[in-house]
Amino acid sequence: YEAQNDPKSALAQLQIAARLDEKSAAVFFNKARAELALGRQSDAISSLRRTIRLAPREREARALLAQVL
């Protein structure tokens, strides 16, 4: 969905994925990107923080969080 520039659909699928795999940093990172595309900044910050908790060395998530904050 993201490749099709449909963040709303992407977010719906990523919310399901996050419930099914609560330990996937990739899911939460992509969820944050979809949330940002939809203007949901505080949700994106939470998702990025979750990404970093799950994968502390995830540089891309840290960089994106710094941009959002």
Side-chain angles (χ1 to χ4, degrees), residues 29 51-52 55-66:
F29 180 70
T51 301
I52 294 165
R57 295 182 182 181
E58 177 56 59
R59 291 181 181 169
E60 199 172 351
R62 289 181 177 278
L64 187 55
L65 181 60

Side-chain angles (χ1 to χ4, degrees), residues 8 12 19-20 25 27 29 35 39 42 45 58:
K8 187 174 181 180
R19 285 193 293 273
L20 294 173
V27 168
F29 180 70
E35 289 163 338
S42 70
I45 290 169
E58 177 56 59

Side-chain angles (χ1 to χ4, degrees), residues 33-44:
R33 291 175 58 192
E35 289 163 338
L36 284 172
L38 293 169
R40 297 173 59 174
Q41 187 170 340
S42 70
D43 291 335

